[in-house]
């Protein structure tokens, strides 16, 4: 789950019925100004109320913010290079192990 | 507080549902979320039944259970000890599956019977580190196995054999 998403409309063009907007998550490591600008057609927005308008912008931005999150680089110091097959905790001391954060994961298939 | 850690492992043909918990944990499942058709107890003990029915199964460590008949029911589980259960889940309740633990040291699923030509076979490691055709498996490793091939098994662990019937 992501924290709140920020958006900043950077321009609006009623003639072309388009706007430009930036997205990032609230705890992004950079200012929102540093993130890419996206064009959104008014056709993809819901002008029936302010809540509906914000929700329609959010629906565009949520996957963008998620992708930004996934695309963030892994610090060299955080890279895991250990694949340990052991139930002895002493074997784990001092090593960085990478595991999925999700409770749903793929089963490991072995070719026999 | 009684607790239970629950997680899933997926593959294209079936899922595995794992429950690891403390004594006196109570788990209820309704048919909308229940896809478990076989159960293996790694350790511990607990009672499993249809909701409000007095008959129950006692899940015990080291044993395998066929729970296909419960897949459309509201069910409850109450642990009598700390427990570790692995469930084999079908992806579609209309699929037919058979399941059992493997006891033979040479497994061969070859058959010429026409009605079973389209069956598919999978083995899953539930415990230990069994060795199949020289490869050491660990818990939750799985493999599709095929007719006309022999699989030599060193029983240094627990393996389940699951057959997709159609």
């Amino acid at each position: 789950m992501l924290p709140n998403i920020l958006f900043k409309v950077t321009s609006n063009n009623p003639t072309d019925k388009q706007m430009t907007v930036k997205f990032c998550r609230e705890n992004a490591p950079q200012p929102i100004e540093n993130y890419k600008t996206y064009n959104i057609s008014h056709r993809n927005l819901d002008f029936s109320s302010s809540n509906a308008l914000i929700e329609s912008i959010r629906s565009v931005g949520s996957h963008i913010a998620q992708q930004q999150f996934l695309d963030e680089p892994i610090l060299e110091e955080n890279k895991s290079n250990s694949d340990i097959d052991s139930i002895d905790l002493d074997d784990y001391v001092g090593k960085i192990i990478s595991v999925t954060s999700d409770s749903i994961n793929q089963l490991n298939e072995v070719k026999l | 507080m009684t607790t239970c850690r629950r997680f899933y492992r997926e593959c294209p043909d079936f899922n595995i549902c794992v429950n690891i918990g403390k004594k006196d944990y109570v788990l209820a499942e309704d048919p909308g979320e229940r896809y478990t058709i076989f159960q293996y107890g790694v350790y511990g003990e607990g009672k499993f039944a249809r909701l409000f029915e007095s008959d129950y199964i006692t899940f015990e460590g080291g044993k395998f259970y066929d729970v296909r008949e419960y897949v459309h029911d509201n069910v409850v589980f109450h642990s009598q000890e700390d427990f570790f259960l692995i469930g084999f889940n079908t992806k579609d309740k209309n699929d037919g599956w058979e399941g059992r633990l493997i006891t033979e040291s040479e497994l061969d699923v070859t058959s010429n019977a026409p009605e079973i030509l389209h069956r598919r076979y999978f083995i899953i490691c539930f415990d230990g580190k069994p060795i199949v055709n020289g490869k050491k498996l660990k818990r939750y490793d799985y493999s599709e196995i095929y007719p006309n091939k022999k699989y030599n098994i060193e029983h240094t662990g627990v393996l389940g054999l699951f057959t997709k019937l159609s």
Side-chain angles (χ1 to χ4, degrees):
Chain A
M1 199 170 89
L2 287 175
N4 283 356
I5 294 168
L6 308 179
F7 72 84
K8 181 177 181 182
V9 177
T10 51
S11 70
N12 182 38
N13 187 334
T15 309
D16 293 340
K17 295 188 173 173
Q18 283 200 336
M19 70 162 191
T20 59
V21 61
K22 289 176 179 286
F23 296 99
C24 72
R25 64 183 199 279
E26 205 169 40
N27 61 348
Q30 297 181 56
I32 192 167
E33 296 299 339
N34 291 3
Y35 286 90
K36 187 178 169 184
T37 303
Y38 292 86
N39 286 304
I40 300 180
S41 167
H42 290 187
R43 284 181 303 167
N44 295 324
L45 301 175
D46 182 346
F47 292 96
S48 58
S49 70
S50 60
N51 283 345
L53 177 60
I54 289 170
E55 172 57 25
S56 61
I57 297 171
R58 186 208 62 78
S59 70
V60 175
S62 62
H63 79 273
I64 291 171
Q66 185 170 18
Q67 196 59 49
Q68 291 170 354
F69 179 60
L70 294 172
D71 289 344
E72 273 175 25
I74 300 169
L75 294 174
E76 201 59 42
E77 300 91 314
N78 288 346
K79 285 185 178 168
S80 168
N81 51 12
S82 296
D83 182 16
I84 302 173
D85 181 13
S86 171
I87 56 170
D88 183 348
L89 280 176
D90 288 339
D91 293 336
Y92 292 79
V93 173
K95 300 189 174 79
I96 297 173
I97 315 293
S98 176
V99 295
T100 174
S101 63
D102 200 332
S103 63
I104 298 176
N105 198 359
Q106 295 299 307
L107 278 164
N108 181 43
E109 183 175 12
V110 177
K111 299 287 185 191
L112 297 173
Chain B
M1 190 174 80
T2 55
T3 58
C4 179
R5 189 161 62 87
R6 198 169 195 199
F7 57 89
Y8 296 88
R9 294 285 182 271
E10 294 186 334
C11 78
D13 295 283
F14 55 85
N15 298 331
I16 292 293
C17 171
V18 179
N19 289 280
I20 303 169
K22 296 289 187 186
K23 181 183 176 183
D24 271 334
Y25 183 76
V26 175
L27 171 72
E29 277 188 331
D30 64 72
E33 61 179 335
R34 181 161 185 80
Y35 284 81
T36 305
I37 53 175
F38 299 101
Q39 198 91 49
Y40 178 74
V42 180
Y43 62 71
E45 188 177 301
K47 294 175 180 176
F48 172 81
R50 286 188 185 86
L51 198 62
F52 304 124
E53 284 193 3
S54 55
D55 287 344
Y56 60 83
I57 300 172
T58 301
F59 287 157
E60 295 175 23
K63 293 191 177 173
F64 184 85
Y65 298 89
D66 178 351
V67 289
R68 285 177 291 182
E69 65 178 283
Y70 298 87
V71 76
H72 299 290
D73 299 320
N74 290 303
V75 295
V76 287
F77 171 76
H78 179 202
S79 58
Q80 315 298 298
E81 300 173 354
D82 292 357
F83 67 98
F84 185 155
L85 288 173
I86 303 175
F88 177 92
N89 289 14
T90 181
K91 284 187 179 280
D92 184 335
K93 294 184 189 183
N94 295 314
D95 289 344
W97 286 93
E98 298 281 356
R100 66 174 174 86
L101 294 183
I102 297 173
T103 54
E104 53 268 56
S105 56
E106 185 180 272
L107 183 65
D108 184 352
V109 294
T110 306
S111 172
N112 292 322
E115 69 272 18
I116 66 170
L117 285 179
H118 299 294
R119 290 184 174 185
R120 294 175 65 200
Y121 304 88
F122 300 89
I123 60 173
I124 304 171
C125 178
F126 288 135
D127 203 3
K129 293 181 179 172
I131 299 169
V132 183
N133 285 357
K135 282 195 178 172
K136 187 188 281 186
L137 306 186
K138 59 183 186 301
R139 184 176 287 145
Y140 313 130
D141 281 351
Y142 84 98
S143 183
E144 182 162 5
I145 63 168
Y146 299 94
N148 304 311
K149 184 172 179 179
K150 289 181 178 165
Y151 297 87
N152 295 305
I153 299 168
E154 292 176 45
H155 285 279
T156 43
V158 180
L159 287 169
L161 172 65
F162 297 91
T163 306
K164 195 173 187 179
L165 302 179
S166 55

